[in-house]
Amino acid sequence: MRAAAPQAKTDTLLLNLSDLASVRGAAERIAATETIDLLFNNAGVMNLPTRLTTRDGFEMTVGTNHLGHFAFNAQVWPALRRSAGARVVTVSAIAARWPIGKLDDLMSENSYRGMSAYAKSKRANIVYTLELARRTAHTTVEAFVVHPGAAMTGLQQHGTGPLTRLFTPLAARLLMGSAIGAAWPSFYAATSPDVTSGEFIGPAGRDQTSGTPGPAKLPKGADDPELDARLWAESERLTGITFAT
C-alpha cells in the first residue's frame, strides 16, 4: 500500500476475531473518533481437522468467520454511520451453496466436520449481509457479500488427507485462479457504481471459479427474511452485543 500510494497515511490495528475482548478493544479505538468509508470482512479459517473453540466457547470456524465479524461490525457502527456513503463488503465462498452448510447446529455440537463448519460460516456471511442490507436501507451504509471463486491461498493448509494432497496441485493448475484475481469481486463491490446493496457478487467465468465479477447465485433459502432475522438475533445472543442499526 505504501509503495502504491507513498503519500497515504497507514496504520495497523491488531485484532483477533476469535476473541471478543480483542474485538471490543479494537472496535473501541475506532468507534469513538474515526470514520470508516470501506470495511472488508475478509479474515477466515477453513477445514480445521478437529473441533476447536474460541476463547468465548464458540466453534472456531463459525466463531471467527461470522461471529467475530458480526461483533466488530456492530461495535464500529458509529464510525460507519459518520461516513457519507460507507460500504461493508463481506467475503463468503462457493462453499456456502453446499447442502452441508445449513445453519442448524450452528456450533457443530451434534457432529463436526471441518468443511461443514466452513460452509456454515460462509452461508452465515451471506445471510448476515442480506439482513444488514435490509436493516440499513434507511441509512447511507451499503452492504455487499462476495465470493472470490477458487484460488490457492493459505486456507488450504488443513487439507492433509492423501486424496487431498493428490488432488489439490492438479486442481490448482486446472480450476483455480490467482489470489489477485480472487480479490476482484471484493474490489468491484467496494468501488462499482453499478451494484446494489444486498447484492451477491462473484466471478462470472466457468463454474464461477474465476473471471470478471458479476452477480452470483445465492444459496437456496439464504434470502429468507425470517431465517436472516433468526441468525441476526442468535448472533446478538451469542456475542452479547446488540447491533442497533
Side-chain angles (χ1 to χ4, degrees):
M1 290 174 64
R2 291 185 178 119
Q7 75 280 6
K9 178 184 176 182
T10 61
D11 197 6
T12 301
L13 181 66
L14 298 180
L15 165 63
N16 180 355
L17 284 171
S18 67
D19 180 352
L20 291 182
S22 174
V23 172
R24 181 172 60 254
E28 286 175 350
R29 287 183 56 186
I30 295 172
T33 60
E34 299 294 333
T35 296
I36 296 177
D37 299 308
L38 184 58
L39 175 60
F40 290 100
N41 295 317
N42 185 53
V45 295
M46 182 178 81
N47 199 24
L48 301 180
T50 59
R51 186 184 185 276
L52 304 176
T53 56
T54 69
R55 183 165 295 185
D56 303 282
F58 310 135
E59 187 280 313
M60 181 65 75
T61 310
V62 171
T64 302
N65 298 1
H66 168 59
L67 292 175
H69 286 126
F70 179 90
F72 185 71
N73 290 188
Q75 292 174 99
V76 298
W77 184 248
L80 287 160
R81 289 290 282 125
R82 279 193 286 271
S83 172
R87 288 188 176 187
V88 179
V89 180
T90 300
V91 181
S92 180
I94 295 176
R97 298 178 187 156
W98 299 348
I100 58 174
K102 292 180 180 178
L103 297 181
D104 51 351
D105 190 23
L106 186 64
M107 294 292 109
S108 299
E109 294 172 305
N110 296 331
S111 64
Y112 176 82
R113 292 169 58 194
M115 287 307 295
S116 177
Y118 179 69
K120 288 178 188 180
S121 74
K122 296 292 100 178
R123 186 169 299 194
N125 290 154
I126 294 175
V127 169
Y128 158 68
T129 302
L130 297 178
E131 183 65 12
L132 180 63
R134 291 188 188 96
R135 292 177 181 237
T136 57
H138 64 288
T139 74
T140 58
V141 180
E142 296 178 300
F144 304 91
V145 60
V146 307
H147 78 78
M152 285 301 297
T153 67
L155 274 179
Q156 288 85 9
Q157 64 182 300
H158 294 298
T160 56
L163 289 177
T164 300
R165 289 196 299 268
L166 178 66
F167 176 73
T168 297
L170 180 63
R173 290 196 301 269
L174 298 180
L175 301 176
M176 296 188 179
S178 67
I180 293 176
W184 288 4
S186 294
F187 288 113
Y188 178 77
T191 61
S192 174
D194 301 322
V195 292
T196 303
S197 186
E199 194 169 350
F200 185 29
I201 297 163
R206 184 183 63 180
D207 298 325
Q208 292 199 324
T209 56
S210 62
T212 304
K217 182 180 179 181
L218 285 168
K220 185 178 180 180
D223 195 13
D224 178 345
E226 184 177 340
L227 168 68
D228 300 357
R230 282 203 309 270
L231 178 67
W232 187 283
E234 181 67 357
S235 301
E236 289 187 324
R237 185 188 73 80
L238 289 168
T239 61
I241 297 169
T242 300
F243 194 157
T245 56

